């Protein structure tokens, strides 16, 4: 029964299924396009009738049996003994190995060699056989290797451990995205000597900074601007002071850099102040430290006032520079920033910060070791996210004792022990194996309550559990459904959950790189400013946050009568009546906006830097939003030229239609392009338009099944009526994958189905999705058995 | 129990340290301390230093140093400060910065030979040399300068790219350090400081504890997850070997004959331009002298500099402004005066290098210095017949004390090709960055 995983209607995007579909479509002599049709995903799909004898056997005879026969049995492997798929299932391990070697093109290692198509065919066939199981009867929670904290999790965990957000891991290399497409994917998180060196350095920096805050003297610097360095020395300071104002440089263009070097005593938050005024039109000022933008200001007044940026800065000697900055709305006559003086103060303890290390101090040198061991146990238990054993406390006390013996003071010695805790594998690996009753290795078991609260907190906060969660782990009450539900609710309302909304959405929807590695061309789109970029990336995050905190249906991500904007983004959208830089919720008067496909973040990320791309948008909707696989274009397909759409006689659509007249392309593009056409009313940075140049936009899209939509409003209705279930299933799979830190497998389908059914009966309530995920089998259970050992 | 295990392991590491330093000792054939005294048995290494001057020069004023076939630096109102060093200098004419336009490209190509496109360039000559010989010193190369990256864009590239001539790959530029104290500390204090050693020792004792922690974790996890813990154990052990090198650094291949004066510069950036530039030059000379590095680049200013030079008598404009002189006499006079000032600073640096005895000649003799600008006349951004000179000579590698006239429009990359060969890079460099067409007779 090799077909069940298809026949049960799985629509997941996971690789075994992908392979399976490719294989079947190929084997049935169908075109690539079949993989895209709803049919191939649905219950009615034609069951492949081809048998073992007709498919795998002939290929094995040609490519495998020369070596793997009873006589030669190369590598002690004889493949001739398998006469059916049932027999193959008696040795799944062997066949998984075979599949890998064929995929890596290590086998066959002598000619004749299979074509790429035959190779995929063999892989798909073997895959369908070895992964064919009734996963409801044989539940498998999926195997994950021990998770290492990724960079975000590391920074957040350090913040919660020491009580101040110093981001000590910011200088680490970025973690790669794993198979799941998320950078918390366990498969992609390695440990190297230089990473450990970084952990040492980060711990040492963070701890010295906290000690400086407790023990050191902050600095306070004041510079008159005319005494500072200026790159454009053709510009001279204003000849003031006089009745027209104080003296100092007047920054009237981007190049003018007013700078000075400052010795900052430790890493930490510093207050950077300028006394400044605006001359002429709207203008801003931007603070750069060692050539990195640290924050920007709007200079509101034509009278001198004091403006302030609080920024997290590395200690040491730093170049502190101020530049002029363009602000929204872009005026015809730009203003200039006249700076009277510049000040730096810090490091400061921001309001509401409560340091959580170096708290205990011995009184008059009494009971020193007792205080020390208490400090170590307190931090260690939080850092390891479970009570620290007595033997462990003793171990770290030896570090304390050694420094004391060498003449270090009490805090020096504590710092040494803390450093040890921060480079211990128990800290940056999230181990889940430490319950006293070791469960049997060969079966899935529910993780212990401490491991469970870590799963919860790293899912919803990307950080460690807090004291309330620790208490619920200790009492084991966290598994009580009511308690769990109220904790999920509390965690989603906590500001730490912003990290979840941002990272999950940004990486799922693909707008994370906006403003970093991807930017619209500044000559084509001067309106795409730094501040607009910031606002439009917040829009979807705030919507998801609102759904999770105040309630609402996940379907609002498809279409909604509200969204979140500030003045600049509202102007970008043509929405009136919004002022100020702060983002806020607005009720939408028409349906041109609302929903992910109408958001500038998504629309910009799915365009090229200079023009829209109906193909990119179509593929994005199918793959990212709806979770359907789109095969890559054939190697000789070619792209439209980068400047396509600049042709005055033709719209981009007409050029594209011409481009895909080749038959090989048409079968896929029939499904991709109509979607992109439906969104052509949005330009490459997401502005609404009726015309492209002088020609009117034709935004009619007709899908192969005959359903059609004219423009984005109708397209959103099409999504709601025709693609609702695809979307919902995809959101479930993506979020589950993020929560588990791994790519989903076929064995996760029962959980996905259960969550889907529950959501469907509750109008796809967003909070319900999170509740269902944390209650699901894969989220609560653990196995040491990877799939390939079954 | 864990303490019992500690000593043998540490003892073993010490052994590793000793083995690592063995090759050096073998080459020396002598105890390390005696080496400085018996330096004659070893020759000082060859170094490479490139000094960049922005905004070009007034052509006639530069060219008069070798006009009419007569090599006489004193005849040039720009190069006259270098006249007393004329035996150590080789001006080269005829080289061209082909294919470039504007300050960003013409700076970026100075050591790469190819123009910047967007944010992409190519690897620069100094970095090729550093890859070859940089492994022998604490720093493979260093970059010093006097101005921060300027903001804004020009010809489709960020102006900030022109703050350096060093590119370690087509997209990675190495920004110069402009703060003397920071540069000094990074080169001479941090790596060998008592604090660094103490930190390394402390880390070692921390490692003892966490390795123990990792081993007990290893016993609790499944056999598959043990791989993950092993990854940690292996990495930690590799880190220990590195720490051992900090605590017991391997001997240097070359020690200066005389004790260098390692006086720490004051904090902050000097207000006076010449004081600032000379301080950076002092640090560069120290770094080469002490064999802290063998490859350096020095930006006398940003490649698109608008520095004001009103401290020079008769000069009122900024450097970039005066370089677009439109042949107006006043501006030309200012332009020449500033170029002369730059040449004086270079003379100061070369004099210092010449005064340092290394047994087999001076530090200057053992260094190939490449000085010049990426454009000829700033007025029109002229790319042909660049103002370039070599100084020093890598102990006979370069024939100085004459003028070398290349055929007009010889690619700048051909000079780089020739210099690369002086560092035995001919195998790697067939055509320098794909634009060289041959070599020049340096």
């Amino acid at each position: 029964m090799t077909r069940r995983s298809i026949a049960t209607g799985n629509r997941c995007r996971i690789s075994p299924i992908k392979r399976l579909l490719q294989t079947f479509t190929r084997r049935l002599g169908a075109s690539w396009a079949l993989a895209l049709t709803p049919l191939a995903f649905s219950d009615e799909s034609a069951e492949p009738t081809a048998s073992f004898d007709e498919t795998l056997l002939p290929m094995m005879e040609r490519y495998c049996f020369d070596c793997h026969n009873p006589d030669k049995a190369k590598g002690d492997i004889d493949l001739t003994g398998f006469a059916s798929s049932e027999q193959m299932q008696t040795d799944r391990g062997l066949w998984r190995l075979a599949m890998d070697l064929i995929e890596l093109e290590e086998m066959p290692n002598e000619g004749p060699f299979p074509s790429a198509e035959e190779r995929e065919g063999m892989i798909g066939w073997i895959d369908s056989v070895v992964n064919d199981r009734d996963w409801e009867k044989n539940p498998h929670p999926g195997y994950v290797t021990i998770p290492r904290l990724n960079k975000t999790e590391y920074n957040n965990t350090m913040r919660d451990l020491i009580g101040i957000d110093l981001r000590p891991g910011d200088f680490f290399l970025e973690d790669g995205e794993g198979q799941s497409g998320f950078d918390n994917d366990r498969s992609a998180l390695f440990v190297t000597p230089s990473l450990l060196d970084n952990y040492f350095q980060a711990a040492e920096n963070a701890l010295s900074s906290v000690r400086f805050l407790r023990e050191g003297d902050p600095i306070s610097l004041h510079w008159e601007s005319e005494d500072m360095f200026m790159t454009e020395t053709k510009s001279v300071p204003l000849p003031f002071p006089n009745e027209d104002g104080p003296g100092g440089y007047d920054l009237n263009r981007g190049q003018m850099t007013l700078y000075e070097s400052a010795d900052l005593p430790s890493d930490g938050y510093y207050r950077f102040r300028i006394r400044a005024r605006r001359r002429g039109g709207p203008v801003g000022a931007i603070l750069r430290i060692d050539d990195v933008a640290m924050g920007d200001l709007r200079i509101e007044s034509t009278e001198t006032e004091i403006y302030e940026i609080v920024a997290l800065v590395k200690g040491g000697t730093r170049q502190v520079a101020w530049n002029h900055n363009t602000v929204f709305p872009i005026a015809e006559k730009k203003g200039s920033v006249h700076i009277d003086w510049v000040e730096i103060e810090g490091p400061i303890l921001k309001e509401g910060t409560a340091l959580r290390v170096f708290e205990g101090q011995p009184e008059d040198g009494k009971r020193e070791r007792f205080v020390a061991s208490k400090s170590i146990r307190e931090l260690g238990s939080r850092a390891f996210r479970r009570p620290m054993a007595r033997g462990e406390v003793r171990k770290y006390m030896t570090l304390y004792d050694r420094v004391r013996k060498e003449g270090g003071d009490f805090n020096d010695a504590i710092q040494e022990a803390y450093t040890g805790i921060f480079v211990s594998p128990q800290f940056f690996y999230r181990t889940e194996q430490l319950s006293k009753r070791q469960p049997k290795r060969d079966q899935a078991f529910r993780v212990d309550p401490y491991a469970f609260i870590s799963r919860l907190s790293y899912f919803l906060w990307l950080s460690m559990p807090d004291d309330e969660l620790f208490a619920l782990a200790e009492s084991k009450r966290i598994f009580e459904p009511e308690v769990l539900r109220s904790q999920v609710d509390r965690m989603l309302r906590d500001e730490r959950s912003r990290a979840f909304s941002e990272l999950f959405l940004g990486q799922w929807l693909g707008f994370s790189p906006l403003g970093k590695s991807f930017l619209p061309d500044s000559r084509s789109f001067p309106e795409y400013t730094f501040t607009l970029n910031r606002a439009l990336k917040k829009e979807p995050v705030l919507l998801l946050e609102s759904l999770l905190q105040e309630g609402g249906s996940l379907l609002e991500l498809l279409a909604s009568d509200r969204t979140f904007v500030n003045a600049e983004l509202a102007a970008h959208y043509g929405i009136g009546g919004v002022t100020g830089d702060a983002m806020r919720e607005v009720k939408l008067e028409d349906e041109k906006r609302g929903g992910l496909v109408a958001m500038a973040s998504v629309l910009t990320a799915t365009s090229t830097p200079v023009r829209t791309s109906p193909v990119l948008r179509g593929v994005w909707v199918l793959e990212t939003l709806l979770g359907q696989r789109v095969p890559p274009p054939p190697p000789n397909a070619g792209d439209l030229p980068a400047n396509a759409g600049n042709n005055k006689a033709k719209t981009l659509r007409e050029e594209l239609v011409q481009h895909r007249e080749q038959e090989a392309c048409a079968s896929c593009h029939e499904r991709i392009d109509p979607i992109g056409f439906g969104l052509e009313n949005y330009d490459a940075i997401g502005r609404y338009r009726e015309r492209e140049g002088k020609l009117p936009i034709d935004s009619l899209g007709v899908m192969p099944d005959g359903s059609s939509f004219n423009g984005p409003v109708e397209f959103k209705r099409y999504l709601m009526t025709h693609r609702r279930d695809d979307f919902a299933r995809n959101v479930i799979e993506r979020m589950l994958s993020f929560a588990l830190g791994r790519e989903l497998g076929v064995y996760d389908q029962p959980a996905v189905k259960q969550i889907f059914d529950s959501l469907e009966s509750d109008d796809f309530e967003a909070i319900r999705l999170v509740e269902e995920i944390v209650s699901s089998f894969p989220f609560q259970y653990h196995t040491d058995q990877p799939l390939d050992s079954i | 129990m864990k303490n019992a295990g500690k000593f043998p392991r540490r003892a073993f590491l010490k052994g590793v340290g000793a083995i690592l330093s063995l090759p050096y000792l073998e080459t020396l054939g002598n105890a390390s301390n005696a080496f400085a005294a018996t330096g004659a048995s070893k020759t000082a290494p060859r170094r490479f230093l490139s000094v960049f001057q922005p905004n070009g020069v007034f052509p006639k004023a530069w060219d008069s140093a070798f006009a009419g076939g007569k090599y006489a630096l004193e005849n040039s109102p720009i190069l006259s400060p270098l006249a007393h060093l004329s035996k150590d200098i080789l001006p080269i004419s005829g080289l061209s910065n082909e294919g470039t336009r504007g300050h960003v490209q013409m700076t970026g190509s100075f050591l790469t030979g190819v123009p910047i496109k967007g944010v992409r360039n190519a690897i620069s000559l100094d970095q090729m040399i550093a890859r070859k010989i940089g492994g022998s010193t604490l720093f493979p190369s260093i970059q010093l300068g006097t101005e921060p990256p300027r903001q804004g864009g020009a010809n489709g590239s960020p102006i900030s790219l022109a703050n350096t001539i060093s590119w370690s790959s087509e997209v990675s530029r190495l920004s110069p350090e402009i703060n003397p104290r920071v540069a000094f500390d990074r080169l001479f204090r941090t790596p060998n400081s008592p604090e660094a050693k103490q930190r390394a020792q402390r880390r070692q004792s921390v490692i003892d504890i966490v390795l123990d922690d990792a081993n007990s974790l290893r016993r609790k996890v499944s056999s598959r997850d043990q791989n993950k813990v092993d990854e940690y154990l292996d990495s930690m052990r590799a880190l220990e070997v590195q720490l051992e090198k900090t605590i017991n650094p391997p001997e240097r291949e070359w020690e200066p004959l005389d004790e260098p004066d390692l006086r720490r510069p004051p904090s902050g950036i000097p207000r006076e331009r010449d004081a600032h530039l000379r301080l950076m030059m002092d640090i560069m000379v120290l770094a080469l002298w002490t064999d802290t590095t063998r490859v350096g680049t020095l930006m006398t200013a940003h490649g698109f500099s608008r520095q004001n030079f009103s401290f020079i008598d008769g000069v009122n404009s900024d450097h970039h402004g005066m370089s677009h002189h439109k042949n107006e006499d006043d501006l030309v006079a200012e332009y020449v005066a500033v170029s002369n000032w730059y040449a004086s600073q270079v003379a100061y640096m070369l004099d210092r290098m010449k005064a340092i005895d290394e047994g087999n000649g001076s530090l200057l003799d053992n260094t190939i210095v490449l000085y010049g600008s990426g454009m000829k006349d700033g007025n029109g951004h002229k790319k042909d017949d660049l103002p370039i000179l070599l100084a020093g000579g890598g102990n006979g590698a370069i024939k100085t004390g004459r003028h070398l006239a290349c055929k007009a429009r010889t690619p700048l990359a051909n000079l780089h090709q020739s210099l690369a060969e002086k560092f035995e890079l001919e195998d790697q460099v067939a055509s320098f960055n794909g634009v060289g067409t041959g070599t020049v007779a340096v």
Side-chain angles (χ1 to χ4, degrees), chain A residues 193-194 196-197 200, chain B residues 5-14 16-17 20 200-211 232-248:
Chain A
S194 65
L196 292 180
D197 189 49
F200 262 111
Chain B
K6 174 178 167 182
F7 290 104
R9 191 170 51 79
R10 191 72 74 221
F12 167 74
L13 278 172
K14 289 232 163 72
V16 172
L20 287 175
Q201 273 159 348
R202 288 213 167 157
R203 282 185 180 186
Q204 278 193 335
S205 61
V206 168
I207 288 175
D208 286 332
I209 299 296
V210 294
L211 284 181
Y232 174 89
L233 288 167
D234 292 345
S235 299
M236 215 32 130
R237 288 186 189 116
L239 185 60
E240 277 194 294
V241 173
Q242 285 173 28
L243 293 173
E244 194 53 37
K245 280 195 211 167
T246 306
I247 296 164
N248 298 308

Side-chain angles (χ1 to χ4, degrees), chain A residues 143 189 191 197 204 227 232-234 260 263 291 317 395-396 398 402 423-424 428-429 434 786, chain B residues 148 150-151 179 182 202-203 205 209 212-213 220 224-225 228 231-232 267 271 306-308 318:
Chain A
Y143 167 80
L189 296 168
V191 169
D197 189 49
E204 287 159 1
D227 297 336
E232 316 304 292
T233 42
K234 199 177 177 184
E260 186 53 81
D263 291 325
D291 207 29
T317 302
K395 209 169 353 187
Y396 287 90
T398 60
R402 201 181 56 80
V423 296
S424 163
F428 59 79
Y429 282 136
L434 299 162
Chain B
R150 290 180 56 228
Q151 306 304 315
N179 186 304
V182 173
R202 288 213 167 157
R203 282 185 180 186
S205 61
I209 299 296
D212 191 48
D213 229 4
K220 289 181 195 154
R224 294 194 145 245
D225 286 340
K228 211 70 196 163
E231 194 178 295
Y232 174 89
S267 156
R271 300 277 136 185
R306 286 180 180 277
Q307 288 282 357
N308 192 296
D318 74 287

Side-chain angles (χ1 to χ4, degrees), chain B residues 344-390:
Chain B
S344 313
Q345 311 312 311
V346 173
Y348 163 84
M349 185 188 75
L350 298 180
D351 283 338
R352 293 219 49 196
M353 294 172 75
K354 202 175 164 72
I356 294 168
D357 178 27
E358 299 202 307
N360 58 328
S362 67
L363 174 59
L364 181 59
D365 291 329
N366 288 316
T367 308
I368 297 177
V369 183
L370 166 60
Y371 173 66
S373 193
M375 61 177 68
K376 190 64 174 272
D377 197 344
N379 191 36
H381 298 164
K382 295 289 190 304
K383 63 181 188 300
D384 291 331
D385 195 21
L386 298 174
I388 299 266
L389 61 80
L390 296 179

Side-chain angles (χ1 to χ4, degrees), chain A residues 211-484:
Chain A
R211 286 190 66 190
F212 190 89
L213 281 168
R214 287 189 181 279
E215 302 161 25
D217 293 320
I219 56 155
S220 172
L221 303 171
H222 175 101
W223 301 311
E224 290 297 326
S225 97
E226 59 270 29
D227 297 336
M228 294 173 69
F229 288 94
M230 163 53 62
T231 52
E232 316 304 292
T233 42
K234 199 177 177 184
S235 311
V236 291
L238 292 177
F240 308 133
N242 58 26
E243 64 283 353
D244 194 25
Y249 280 102
D250 187 41
L251 311 182
N252 59 18
R253 58 191 189 280
Q255 289 101 317
M256 285 185 74
T257 304
L258 183 67
Y259 70 101
E260 186 53 81
S261 86
D263 291 325
L264 307 180
S266 104
D267 297 4
Y269 288 89
Y270 288 80
R271 196 171 272 138
F272 295 86
R273 284 207 200 93
I274 50 175
R275 184 164 187 261
R277 61 173 178 151
R278 167 169 70 84
R279 301 176 85 216
V283 73
I286 184 160
L287 168 70
R288 283 196 171 84
I289 295 178
D290 286 352
D291 207 29
V292 176
M294 301 300 288
D296 54 301
L297 294 167
R298 177 183 286 268
I299 305 300
E300 304 280 1
S301 173
T302 52
E303 298 295 318
T304 46
E305 277 174 18
I306 295 171
Y307 296 86
E308 177 178 301
I309 290 174
V310 172
L312 176 64
V313 189
K314 297 289 293 171
T317 302
R318 304 278 156 225
Q319 303 297 328
V320 178
W322 285 93
N323 284 93
H324 156 285
N325 194 26
T326 310
V327 295
F328 174 82
I330 299 166
E332 270 175 45
K333 191 171 179 335
K334 284 179 201 162
S336 61
V337 188
H338 169 210
I339 296 182
D340 176 17
W341 52 246
V342 171
E343 284 184 348
I344 304 175
E345 209 179 274
I348 57 166
L349 204 51
K350 285 201 292 184
E351 230 172 287
T353 311
L355 299 177
R356 295 199 69 171
V357 281
F358 302 107
E359 283 184 301
Q361 296 293 326
E363 285 170 36
D364 308 327
K366 273 184 237 157
R367 304 178 75 201
E368 255 193 41
R369 289 193 86 254
F370 173 75
V371 178
S373 69
K374 198 164 157 258
S375 298
I376 290 170
R377 193 178 52 244
E378 201 278 330
L379 182 78
S381 297
R382 293 195 302 121
F384 296 173
R385 297 160 293 255
R386 50 153 181 92
M388 203 180 195
R390 243 179 249 157
E392 289 175 317
V393 177
R394 270 200 302 277
K395 209 169 353 187
Y396 287 90
M397 275 298 282
T398 60
L399 290 172
Y400 166 88
D401 287 334
R402 201 181 56 80
V403 175
R404 281 303 268 155
K405 218 169 80 193
E406 285 171 6
D409 69 16
F410 180 80
N411 278 352
D412 288 343
I414 291 285
Q415 182 169 349
E416 185 86 341
Y418 282 172
T419 306
I421 289 169
F422 289 148
V423 296
S424 163
Q426 317 256 21
F427 163 61
F428 59 79
Y429 282 136
R430 284 167 45 204
T431 55
E432 297 191 333
Q433 321 279 335
L434 299 162
S435 75
K436 283 192 187 120
R437 286 177 294 111
Q438 279 293 3
K440 276 192 216 154
R441 285 263 177 248
D442 59 350
Q443 62 191 39
F445 57 91
R446 183 140 92 170
V447 299
D448 78 48
Y450 286 102
F452 183 66
I453 57 169
S454 278
R455 284 190 175 193
L456 274 180
S457 69
Y458 283 95
F459 170 30
L460 296 176
W461 287 345
L462 291 102
S463 186
M464 60 179 289
D466 65 357
D467 295 345
E468 191 169 333
L469 287 168
F470 278 126
L472 289 170
E474 195 184 354
S475 67
K476 300 193 175 59
R477 294 191 55 211
I478 190 64
F479 287 120
E480 292 171 20
E482 270 315 305
V483 173
L484 182 54

Side-chain angles (χ1 to χ4, degrees), chain A residues 13-14 32 57 115 238 345 439 458 620 630 665-666 695 703:
Chain A
R13 50 176 283 283
I14 51 182
W32 272 104
L57 188 60
S115 68
L238 292 177
E345 209 179 274
Y458 283 95
W620 182 88
V630 179
C665 309
L695 303 171
M703 295 300 280

